[in-house]
Amino acid sequence: MALLEVEDLRVEFPTRRGALLALDGVSLEINEGEVLGVVGESGAGKSLTGAAIIGLLEPPGRVTGGKIRLEGHRIDTLSYEEMRNIRGKKIGAIFQDPLTSLNPLYTIGRQLIETIRVHMDVSPEAARARAIELLGEVGIPAPERRIDSYPHEFSGGMRQRVVISLALCANPRLIIADEPTTALDVSIQAQIIALLKKLCREHKTAVMLITHDMGVIAETADRVAVMYAGRVAEIGPVKRVVKQPKHPYTVGLMGAIPMVGHDVERLTQIEGAMPRLNEIPPGCSFNPRCPKVFDKCRMERPELMPAGRNAEAACWQFDKGGRRG
Amino acid sequence: MTAYILQRIFQALAVMVVVAFVSFLMFNFVGDPVDNMVGQEASYEDREEMRDRLGLNDPFVVQFARFVGNAVRGEFGISYRLQRPVATLISERMPATLELVGASALLSILIGIPLGVYTGIRRYAISSRVILTLSLAGVSLPTFVIGILLIYVFSVNLGWLPSFGRGQATQIGWWSTSFLTVSGWKAIIMPSITLALFQMTLILRLVRSEMLEVMRTDYIKFARARGLPDRLINFGHAFKNTLVPVITIIGLNVGSLIAFSIITETVFQWPGMGFLFIQAVGFADVPVMAAYLVMVAAIFVAINLIVDILYFVVDPRLRVDRTVASGSGE
């Protein structure tokens, strides 16, 4: 049984002109201790998927369909208060900007101790000891002194380390890391990703790593889900997806990554742009941009289907039962 | 921190010198005091002698220095109208105004802040919408209309509360208080509500919009993602982050309460400084006006100083930035 199962998840934003379907049947699984990368363009629904899993969709967005199971139990039907006990304790989260993720008015120690004591029945002294230990683990030098510092007394990279220690402090089973390195200096990014990976391996914590940086995914993830216009286009082991992409969108995406040693005048690009939520075409949402499009793509929406060994893609060209052309 | 406070005190003094200069100018430009003192038939020599005696022929700078010197000792001369020392007049009237302002400030803070937090958190609740709609009335109705309405309802029609004065005041040393008698309590209800209403709604709306702002920040989102209880997020994390702007506005508001109290005191015939000031304006009683100006400015400046110091208590970022700045300056 997978640690987290997301099945046919739908998220809608009601507007005056009818509901916008931001997530349209997202399905994915994350296994114990696994790193699942989620890539896609801005607006593909990566972050929304993460927010829906921890039950923190910004109103008026809401889940209108599908199931989310954690360790086999439905969590999408829980009340806010029940979900609060899952957040932090079972599922941790890390957000994009470490500079703004910490409350500027409290010391990092206070924020750590507070979080630890909400989820664990420990004395303030024990919580403080654990906080110092965690800060040491994420690589904050002299944690017993730095624990009483305020967020603004740390650099961006150090703050993201503190954020990671906060997300890990109640030993969650899964961490949803939403663009954890985007706001950081390139030289710091690798360190933070390496740290996140190391800690999660040690704690046997699974990670859902949301990013638009294929390089980060290739280095870090075990499996990768490629999202396009509110759906999963392709999912599979990261090596396979990078080397042998199946879905035409993934093929285009991989082609657009510049390679060292290959001198090209222009980077390959996918014609057109991802459709806006209110202009999603019938059939496969990628069909206007797809080089391999055929009639069926314009009429029927493909679900994820097997596309060879270790591969699942939402594309009619892998439809064994259906007719081509 | 000490350097910062010293710097602020220095700035406050500079402001006070400017204000003193403006109120000093009033003596010279708002009519000629000698005209008010001598009769129509006084000869030119009489007038000159009077001017000499009052020091009005001294150089400008000497006159200003004398004015500041006197003001520092609390001497603002003799009221033209009442022929009594201005300092005595003001110290008689000040307790009434400060009690009224204090009661209004407490009222507006104790009601405005909790309602602001509530409407900020329960953004879509019907109760929040009702409170916000009502608060519009508080922002838009002029003070004197509210005061007159209250008098009409509670004094004229119902006869529950007195329509003027501050009731029986008790003298404690030089301070006269109306909080020790039932009639005093009854008398302060309507004026303090009248004066507080505008500030209260202002604070309410400010706290609400600040709360909405803070609730959208990443650290609140991250606090939720860590599973912290709402109570802790709302009051521990969110509310504290609204305090810097809220303290600023409350500080300024206490100052403007004193200014607005002129109107409220007139409506309710409240025997405070504002009422004294209005009467002084009517009679071109320059010493009283000058003293009032200097004193209100002093209160404003003092409040601002307190607000500046409170920033330090609330926001650790200021503490550090200042140490860094003063460190590099050495």
Side-chain angles (χ1 to χ4, degrees):
Chain A
M1 184 183 64
L3 172 68
L4 180 86
E5 296 165 279
V6 177
E7 198 184 310
D8 204 23
L9 181 66
R10 292 160 68 90
V11 168
E12 279 179 21
F13 284 84
T15 66
R16 249 170 284 162
R17 284 188 233 151
L20 286 181
L21 204 52
L23 290 186
D24 184 8
V26 169
S27 299
L28 47 84
E29 287 182 357
I30 301 175
N31 297 311
E32 297 267 351
E34 172 187 61
V35 179
L36 175 77
V38 179
V39 282
E41 299 170 44
S42 303
K46 312 179 297 281
S47 299
L48 270 185
T49 309
I53 291 169
I54 52 173
L56 286 180
L57 281 174
E58 297 273 332
R62 60 202 167 94
V63 175
T64 52
K67 298 188 181 79
I68 304 170
R69 287 193 205 85
L70 182 75
E71 297 174 321
H73 301 288
R74 289 280 295 265
I75 57 169
D76 54 318
T77 49
L78 295 181
S79 70
Y80 182 84
E81 197 53 26
E82 288 168 319
M83 199 56 209
R84 191 177 68 68
N85 289 319
I86 301 241
R87 283 197 287 272
K89 191 165 176 62
K90 295 276 187 185
I91 308 180
I94 300 171
F95 296 119
Q96 195 176 103
D97 194 351
L99 302 184
T100 55
S101 285
L102 298 169
N103 187 335
L105 302 188
Y106 293 135
T107 61
I108 59 164
R110 179 172 168 167
Q111 301 184 48
L112 272 161
I113 291 164
E114 170 184 85
T115 313
I116 292 168
R117 297 199 66 209
V118 162
H119 294 297
M120 298 170 156
D121 189 17
V122 293
S123 67
E125 295 74 29
R128 189 179 164 88
R130 181 173 165 77
I132 293 174
E133 189 189 322
L134 273 161
L135 288 175
E137 252 186 273
V138 296
I140 303 280
E144 63 290 336
R145 252 181 330 108
R146 297 295 271 160
I147 187 168
D148 293 317
S149 303
Y150 288 95
H152 67 264
E153 297 170 85
F154 292 89
S155 67
M158 284 294 155
R159 272 189 242 185
Q160 193 63 310
R161 287 169 192 264
V162 173
V163 168
I164 290 173
S165 73
L166 269 164
L168 282 172
C169 72
N171 260 328
R173 308 298 309 130
L174 170 69
I175 290 208
I176 296 177
D178 189 352
E179 309 261 14
T181 57
T182 308
L184 296 176
D185 207 68
V186 181
S187 57
I188 311 288
Q189 287 186 1
Q191 292 177 19
I192 294 293
I193 290 290
L195 173 76
L196 190 62
K197 201 174 171 183
K198 173 179 146 270
L199 286 174
C200 290
R201 202 169 42 233
E202 286 170 10
H203 293 255
K204 297 193 170 53
T205 310
V207 181
M208 178 173 164
L209 181 63
I210 299 169
T211 177
H212 54 250
D213 187 340
M214 231 13 241
V216 168
I217 297 272
E219 276 172 41
T220 319
D222 300 308
R223 289 191 308 132
V224 58
V226 179
M227 290 193 67
Y228 184 81
R231 294 169 66 85
V232 176
E234 174 166 2
I235 188 165
V238 69
K239 280 205 185 70
R240 203 274 302 148
V241 173
V242 172
K243 293 217 176 81
Q244 299 163 294
K246 299 290 182 187
H247 194 285
Y249 175 64
T250 323
V251 174
L253 210 56
M254 296 306 148
I257 300 174
M259 301 276 194
V260 178
H262 292 241
D263 255 349
V264 282
E265 283 283 307
R266 289 177 66 100
L267 293 174
T268 15
Q269 60 174 24
I270 308 174
E271 288 297 320
M274 196 171 72
R276 294 153 61 105
L277 287 179
N278 53 356
E279 291 163 356
I280 290 184
C284 173
S285 48
F286 189 60
N287 82 64
R289 305 171 72 188
C290 183
K292 296 187 171 173
V293 64
F294 49 94
D295 287 348
K296 189 171 187 180
C297 305
R298 298 198 177 91
M299 285 163 330
E300 273 181 74
R301 176 152 297 190
E303 297 299 322
L304 278 177
M305 56 189 90
R309 206 163 67 87
N310 270 338
E312 273 186 281
C315 179
W316 287 125
Q317 58 172 318
F318 304 107
D319 184 21
K320 296 286 187 298
R323 65 202 156 81
R324 269 203 87 149
Chain B
M1 167 133 182
T2 328
Y4 174 75
I5 290 175
L6 282 177
Q7 185 193 345
R8 279 304 148 113
I9 289 175
F10 181 75
Q11 285 170 353
L13 286 177
V15 170
M16 285 314 297
V17 169
V18 172
V19 171
F21 185 69
V22 170
S23 60
F24 167 71
L25 285 184
M26 283 206 301
F27 282 96
N28 292 289
F29 293 111
V30 184
D32 185 348
V34 176
D35 280 342
N36 291 335
M37 291 175 182
V38 297
Q40 292 263 326
E41 281 85 41
S43 65
Y44 179 77
E45 286 73 27
D46 285 345
R47 283 166 182 264
E48 270 311 293
E49 196 210 316
M50 184 72 129
R51 295 189 81 86
D52 269 341
R53 208 145 44 85
L54 291 171
L56 294 176
N57 285 335
D58 292 342
F60 188 75
V61 181
V62 175
Q63 287 191 44
F64 181 54
R66 194 185 307 132
F67 174 79
V68 171
N70 286 336
V72 166
R73 291 201 307 274
E75 282 173 28
F76 288 94
I78 311 279
S79 158
Y80 298 161
R81 183 172 66 94
L82 299 166
Q83 295 300 320
R84 295 176 59 202
V86 174
T88 318
L89 283 175
I90 286 190
S91 68
E92 279 171 9
R93 302 298 193 100
M94 194 155 60
T97 294
L98 290 187
E99 282 186 359
L100 177 61
V101 167
S104 306
L106 271 183
L107 211 59
S108 57
I109 292 168
L110 292 183
I111 298 176
I113 289 183
L115 285 185
V117 171
Y118 176 82
T119 51
I121 295 168
R122 295 292 194 82
R123 194 179 170 183
Y124 298 104
I126 293 173
S127 49
S128 297
R129 288 167 200 261
V130 172
I131 291 169
L132 278 180
T133 313
L134 288 181
S135 78
L136 267 184
V139 173
S140 44
L141 277 180
T143 313
F144 62 89
V145 172
I146 297 167
I148 290 168
L149 270 177
L150 286 177
I151 289 177
Y152 181 73
V153 174
F154 292 99
S155 304
V156 178
N157 282 352
L158 297 172
W160 290 351
L161 298 169
S163 63
F164 68 92
R166 68 188 293 223
Q168 180 79 44
T170 317
Q171 202 72 24
I172 302 173
W174 64 276
W175 187 278
S176 74
T177 177
S178 58
F179 284 125
L180 296 177
T181 56
V182 177
S183 68
W185 275 97
K186 272 181 151 178
I188 205 170
I189 292 175
M190 289 199 299
S192 58
I193 289 177
T194 307
L195 192 52
L197 206 59
F198 178 75
Q199 313 296 340
M200 186 181 90
T201 48
L202 206 66
I203 291 173
L204 186 161
R205 298 181 82 87
L206 176 78
V207 170
R208 171 179 177 273
S209 65
E210 288 295 328
M211 280 297 281
L212 289 180
E213 187 92 356
V214 170
M215 291 314 252
R216 274 200 299 269
T217 57
D218 285 353
Y219 52 85
I220 295 298
K221 213 167 103 187
F222 188 45
R224 283 195 204 291
R226 299 203 302 273
L228 300 187
D230 276 358
R231 184 179 36 83
L232 206 61
I233 293 175
N234 292 341
F235 295 99
H237 288 262
F239 179 60
K240 200 174 173 194
N241 271 286
T242 67
L243 278 182
V244 164
V246 169
I247 288 174
T248 313
I249 293 298
I250 288 178
L252 289 177
N253 273 4
V254 172
S256 57
L257 277 176
I258 293 172
F260 274 117
S261 73
I262 292 179
I263 298 168
T264 309
E265 287 182 8
T266 310
V267 171
F268 289 95
Q269 302 283 296
W270 189 262
M273 291 186 297
F275 197 35
L276 178 73
F277 177 73
I278 284 289
Q279 288 169 334
V281 170
F283 286 86
D285 196 347
V286 176
V288 173
M289 285 154 67
Y292 182 81
L293 187 64
V294 171
M295 217 186 44
V296 169
I299 292 171
F300 255 96
V301 166
I303 289 168
N304 268 318
L305 197 61
I306 293 169
V307 165
D308 282 339
I309 293 167
L310 278 181
Y311 287 165
F312 271 99
V313 181
V314 173
D315 197 333
R317 283 167 295 186
L318 290 174
R319 288 174 226 160
V320 169
D321 290 348
R322 279 295 159 177
T323 4
V324 171
S326 61
S328 64
E330 277 158 14

Coordinates of all heavy atoms in Angstrom, one line a residue, chain A residues 186-239:
Chain A
V186 N 21.7 30.2 -6.5 CA 21.9 28.9 -7.1 C 22.9 28.0 -6.3 O 22.8 26.8 -6.2 CB 22.5 29.1 -8.5 CG1 22.7 27.8 -9.2 CG2 21.5 29.9 -9.4
S187 N 23.9 28.7 -5.8 CA 25.0 27.9 -5.0 C 24.4 27.2 -3.8 O 24.9 26.2 -3.3 CB 26.1 28.8 -4.7 OG 25.7 29.9 -3.9
I188 N 23.3 27.8 -3.2 CA 22.7 27.3 -2.0 C 21.7 26.2 -2.4 O 21.5 25.3 -1.6 CB 22.0 28.4 -1.2 CG1 22.8 29.7 -1.1 CG2 21.5 27.9 0.1 CD1 24.0 29.5 -0.1
Q189 N 21.1 26.3 -3.6 CA 20.0 25.4 -3.9 C 20.5 23.9 -3.8 O 19.8 23.1 -3.2 CB 19.6 25.6 -5.4 CG 18.8 26.9 -5.6 CD 18.3 27.0 -7.0 OE1 18.5 26.2 -7.9 NE2 17.6 28.1 -7.2
A190 N 21.6 23.6 -4.3 CA 22.1 22.2 -4.3 C 22.3 21.8 -2.8 O 21.9 20.6 -2.5 CB 23.4 22.1 -5.0
Q191 N 22.8 22.6 -2.0 CA 23.0 22.3 -0.6 C 21.7 21.9 0.1 O 21.5 20.9 0.8 CB 23.6 23.4 0.2 CG 25.0 23.7 -0.2 CD 25.5 24.9 0.6 OE1 24.9 25.3 1.7 NE2 26.6 25.6 0.2
I192 N 20.7 22.8 -0.2 CA 19.4 22.6 0.5 C 18.7 21.3 0.0 O 18.2 20.5 0.8 CB 18.4 23.8 0.2 CG1 19.0 25.0 0.9 CG2 17.0 23.5 0.7 CD1 19.0 25.0 2.4
I193 N 18.8 21.0 -1.4 CA 18.2 19.8 -1.9 C 18.9 18.6 -1.3 O 18.3 17.6 -0.9 CB 18.3 19.8 -3.4 CG1 17.4 20.9 -4.0 CG2 18.0 18.5 -4.0 CD1 15.9 20.6 -3.9
A194 N 20.3 18.7 -1.3 CA 21.0 17.5 -0.7 C 20.6 17.3 0.7 O 20.4 16.1 1.2 CB 22.5 17.8 -0.8
L195 N 20.5 18.4 1.5 CA 20.1 18.3 2.9 C 18.7 17.6 3.0 O 18.5 16.7 3.8 CB 20.1 19.7 3.5 CG 19.5 19.7 5.0 CD1 20.6 19.2 5.9 CD2 19.2 21.1 5.4
L196 N 17.8 18.1 2.2 CA 16.4 17.6 2.3 C 16.4 16.1 2.0 O 15.8 15.3 2.7 CB 15.6 18.4 1.3 CG 14.0 18.1 1.3 CD1 13.5 18.6 2.7 CD2 13.4 18.9 0.2
K197 N 17.2 15.7 1.0 CA 17.2 14.3 0.6 C 17.8 13.5 1.7 O 17.3 12.4 2.0 CB 18.0 14.2 -0.7 CG 17.7 12.9 -1.5 CD 18.4 12.9 -2.8 CE 18.2 11.5 -3.4 NZ 18.9 11.3 -4.6
K198 N 18.9 14.0 2.3 CA 19.6 13.2 3.3 C 18.7 13.0 4.5 O 18.5 11.9 5.0 CB 20.9 14.0 3.7 CG 21.6 13.4 4.9 CD 22.9 14.2 5.2 CE 23.2 14.3 6.7 NZ 22.7 15.3 7.5
L199 N 18.1 14.1 5.0 CA 17.2 14.0 6.2 C 16.1 13.1 5.9 O 15.7 12.3 6.8 CB 16.7 15.4 6.5 CG 17.7 16.4 7.1 CD1 17.1 17.7 7.3 CD2 18.2 15.8 8.5
C200 N 15.5 13.1 4.8 CA 14.3 12.3 4.5 C 14.7 10.8 4.4 O 13.9 10.0 4.9 CB 13.6 12.8 3.2 SG 12.8 14.4 3.5
R201 N 15.9 10.6 3.9 CA 16.3 9.2 3.9 C 16.5 8.7 5.4 O 16.1 7.7 5.8 CB 17.6 9.1 3.1 CG 17.9 7.6 2.6 CD 19.0 7.6 1.6 NE 20.1 8.4 2.0 CZ 20.7 9.3 1.2 NH1 20.2 9.6 0.0 NH2 21.7 10.0 1.6
E202 N 17.2 9.5 6.2 CA 17.4 9.2 7.6 C 16.1 9.0 8.4 O 16.0 8.1 9.2 CB 18.3 10.2 8.3 CG 19.8 10.2 7.8 CD 20.5 11.4 8.3 OE1 20.0 12.2 9.1 OE2 21.7 11.6 7.9
H203 N 15.2 9.9 8.1 CA 13.9 9.8 8.9 C 12.9 8.9 8.2 O 11.8 8.8 8.7 CB 13.4 11.2 9.1 CG 14.2 12.1 10.0 ND1 13.8 12.3 11.3 CD2 15.4 12.7 9.8 CE1 14.7 13.1 11.8 NE2 15.7 13.3 11.0
K204 N 13.2 8.4 7.0 CA 12.3 7.6 6.2 C 11.0 8.4 5.9 O 9.9 7.9 6.0 CB 11.9 6.3 6.9 CG 13.2 5.4 7.1 CD 12.7 4.0 7.5 CE 13.9 3.0 7.5 NZ 15.1 3.5 8.3
T205 N 11.3 9.6 5.6 CA 10.1 10.5 5.2 C 10.0 10.6 3.7 O 11.0 10.7 3.0 CB 10.4 11.9 5.8 OG1 10.7 11.8 7.1 CG2 9.2 12.8 5.6
A206 N 8.8 10.4 3.2 CA 8.6 10.6 1.8 C 8.5 12.1 1.5 O 8.2 12.9 2.3 CB 7.3 9.9 1.4
V207 N 8.8 12.4 0.2 CA 8.8 13.8 -0.2 C 8.0 14.0 -1.5 O 8.2 13.2 -2.4 CB 10.2 14.4 -0.4 CG1 10.2 15.8 -0.8 CG2 11.1 14.2 0.8
M208 N 7.2 15.0 -1.5 CA 6.6 15.3 -2.8 C 7.2 16.7 -3.1 O 7.0 17.7 -2.5 CB 5.1 15.5 -2.6 CG 4.4 16.0 -3.8 SD 2.6 16.0 -3.5 CE 2.0 17.0 -4.9
L209 N 8.1 16.6 -4.1 CA 9.0 17.8 -4.5 C 8.4 18.5 -5.7 O 8.5 18.0 -6.8 CB 10.4 17.3 -4.7 CG 11.4 18.3 -5.1 CD1 11.6 19.3 -3.9 CD2 12.8 17.7 -5.4
I210 N 7.8 19.6 -5.4 CA 7.1 20.4 -6.5 C 8.1 21.4 -7.0 O 8.7 22.2 -6.2 CB 5.9 21.1 -5.9 CG1 4.9 20.1 -5.4 CG2 5.3 22.0 -7.0 CD1 3.8 20.7 -4.6
T211 N 8.4 21.4 -8.3 CA 9.3 22.3 -8.9 C 9.1 22.4 -10.3 O 8.5 21.6 -11.0 CB 10.8 21.9 -8.6 OG1 11.7 22.8 -9.2 CG2 11.1 20.5 -9.1
H212 N 9.7 23.5 -10.9 CA 9.7 23.5 -12.4 C 11.1 23.3 -12.9 O 11.4 23.4 -14.1 CB 9.1 24.8 -12.9 CG 9.7 26.0 -12.4 ND1 9.1 26.8 -11.5 CD2 10.9 26.5 -12.5 CE1 9.9 27.8 -11.2 NE2 11.0 27.7 -11.8
D213 N 12.0 22.9 -12.0 CA 13.4 22.7 -12.4 C 13.7 21.2 -12.6 O 13.8 20.5 -11.7 CB 14.2 23.3 -11.2 CG 15.7 23.3 -11.6 OD1 16.1 22.5 -12.5 OD2 16.5 24.0 -10.9
M214 N 13.7 20.9 -13.9 CA 14.0 19.5 -14.2 C 15.3 19.0 -13.6 O 15.4 17.8 -13.3 CB 14.0 19.3 -15.7 CG 13.1 18.3 -16.4 SD 11.8 17.5 -15.5 CE 12.4 15.8 -15.6
G215 N 16.3 19.8 -13.6 CA 17.6 19.4 -13.0 C 17.5 18.9 -11.6 O 18.0 17.9 -11.3
V216 N 16.7 19.7 -10.8 CA 16.5 19.3 -9.4 C 15.8 17.9 -9.3 O 16.2 17.0 -8.6 CB 15.7 20.4 -8.7 CG1 15.2 19.8 -7.3 CG2 16.5 21.6 -8.5
I217 N 14.8 17.7 -10.2 CA 14.1 16.5 -10.2 C 15.0 15.3 -10.5 O 15.1 14.3 -9.9 CB 12.9 16.5 -11.2 CG1 11.9 17.6 -10.8 CG2 12.3 15.2 -11.4 CD1 10.8 17.2 -9.8
A218 N 15.8 15.5 -11.6 CA 16.6 14.5 -12.1 C 17.6 14.0 -11.0 O 17.9 12.9 -10.9 CB 17.4 14.9 -13.4
E219 N 18.1 15.0 -10.2 CA 19.1 14.6 -9.2 C 18.5 14.0 -8.0 O 19.1 13.3 -7.3 CB 19.8 15.9 -8.8 CG 21.0 16.3 -9.6 CD 21.5 17.7 -9.2 OE1 21.6 17.9 -8.0 OE2 21.7 18.5 -10.1
T220 N 17.2 14.4 -7.7 CA 16.7 14.1 -6.4 C 15.6 13.0 -6.4 O 15.6 12.2 -5.5 CB 16.1 15.4 -5.8 OG1 16.9 16.5 -6.1 CG2 15.9 15.3 -4.3
A221 N 14.7 13.1 -7.4 CA 13.5 12.3 -7.3 C 13.7 10.8 -7.6 O 14.7 10.5 -8.4 CB 12.4 12.9 -8.2
D222 N 12.9 9.9 -7.1 CA 12.9 8.6 -7.5 C 11.9 8.4 -8.7 O 12.2 7.8 -9.7 CB 12.4 7.7 -6.3 CG 13.3 7.8 -5.1 OD1 14.5 7.6 -5.3 OD2 12.8 8.1 -4.0
R223 N 10.7 9.0 -8.5 CA 9.8 9.0 -9.6 C 9.4 10.4 -9.9 O 9.6 11.3 -9.1 CB 8.5 8.2 -9.3 CG 8.8 6.7 -9.2 CD 7.6 5.9 -9.1 NE 6.7 6.4 -8.0 CZ 5.4 6.7 -8.1 NH1 4.8 6.5 -9.3 NH2 4.8 7.1 -7.1
V224 N 8.8 10.7 -11.1 CA 8.4 12.0 -11.4 C 7.0 12.0 -12.1 O 6.6 11.1 -12.8 CB 9.4 12.7 -12.3 CG1 9.6 11.9 -13.6 CG2 9.0 14.1 -12.7
A225 N 6.2 13.0 -11.7 CA 4.9 13.2 -12.3 C 4.9 14.5 -13.1 O 5.3 15.5 -12.5 CB 3.8 13.2 -11.3
V226 N 4.6 14.4 -14.4 CA 4.6 15.7 -15.2 C 3.2 16.2 -15.3 O 2.3 15.4 -15.7 CB 5.2 15.4 -16.6 CG1 5.2 16.6 -17.5 CG2 6.6 14.8 -16.5
M227 N 3.0 17.4 -14.9 CA 1.6 17.9 -14.9 C 1.4 18.9 -16.1 O 2.3 19.7 -16.4 CB 1.3 18.6 -13.6 CG 1.1 17.6 -12.5 SD 0.3 18.3 -11.0 CE -1.3 18.6 -11.6
Y228 N 0.2 18.9 -16.6 CA -0.1 19.9 -17.7 C -1.6 20.2 -17.6 O -2.4 19.4 -17.6 CB 0.2 19.2 -19.1 CG 0.0 20.2 -20.2 CD1 0.9 21.2 -20.5 CD2 -1.2 20.2 -20.9 CE1 0.7 22.1 -21.6 CE2 -1.4 21.1 -22.0 CZ -0.4 22.0 -22.3 OH -0.6 22.9 -23.3
A229 N -1.9 21.5 -17.5 CA -3.2 22.0 -17.4 C -4.1 21.3 -16.5 O -5.2 20.9 -16.8 CB -3.8 22.0 -18.8
G230 N -3.7 21.1 -15.2 CA -4.5 20.5 -14.2 C -4.6 19.0 -14.2 O -5.5 18.4 -13.6
R231 N -3.8 18.3 -15.0 CA -3.8 16.9 -15.1 C -2.4 16.3 -15.1 O -1.4 17.0 -15.4 CB -4.5 16.4 -16.4 CG -6.0 16.8 -16.4 CD -6.5 16.5 -17.8 NE -6.6 15.1 -18.2 CZ -7.5 14.3 -17.9 NH1 -8.6 14.7 -17.2 NH2 -7.5 13.0 -18.3
V232 N -2.3 15.0 -14.7 CA -1.0 14.4 -14.8 C -0.8 13.9 -16.2 O -1.7 13.1 -16.7 CB -0.9 13.2 -13.8 CG1 0.5 12.5 -14.0 CG2 -1.0 13.8 -12.4
A233 N 0.2 14.3 -16.9 CA 0.4 13.9 -18.3 C 1.2 12.6 -18.4 O 0.9 11.7 -19.2 CB 1.1 15.0 -19.1
E234 N 2.1 12.5 -17.4 CA 3.0 11.3 -17.5 C 3.5 11.1 -16.1 O 3.8 12.0 -15.4 CB 4.1 11.5 -18.5 CG 5.1 10.3 -18.5 CD 6.0 10.3 -19.7 OE1 5.9 11.2 -20.5 OE2 6.8 9.4 -19.8
I235 N 3.7 9.8 -15.7 CA 4.3 9.5 -14.4 C 5.2 8.2 -14.5 O 4.8 7.3 -15.3 CB 3.2 9.4 -13.3 CG1 3.8 9.3 -11.9 CG2 2.3 8.2 -13.6 CD1 2.8 9.5 -10.8
G236 N 6.3 8.3 -13.9 CA 7.2 7.1 -14.0 C 8.5 7.4 -13.3 O 8.8 8.5 -12.8
P237 N 9.4 6.4 -13.3 CA 10.7 6.5 -12.7 C 11.5 7.6 -13.4 O 11.4 7.8 -14.6 CB 11.4 5.2 -12.9 CG 10.3 4.2 -13.2 CD 9.2 5.0 -13.8
V238 N 12.2 8.4 -12.6 CA 12.8 9.6 -13.1 C 13.8 9.4 -14.3 O 13.8 10.1 -15.3 CB 13.4 10.5 -12.0 CG1 14.6 9.8 -11.4 CG2 13.7 11.9 -12.5
K239 N 14.6 8.3 -14.2 CA 15.5 8.0 -15.2 C 14.8 7.8 -16.5 O 15.2 8.3 -17.6 CB 16.4 6.8 -14.8 CG 17.5 7.1 -13.8 CD 18.6 6.1 -14.0 CE 19.7 6.3 -12.9 NZ 19.2 6.0 -11.5

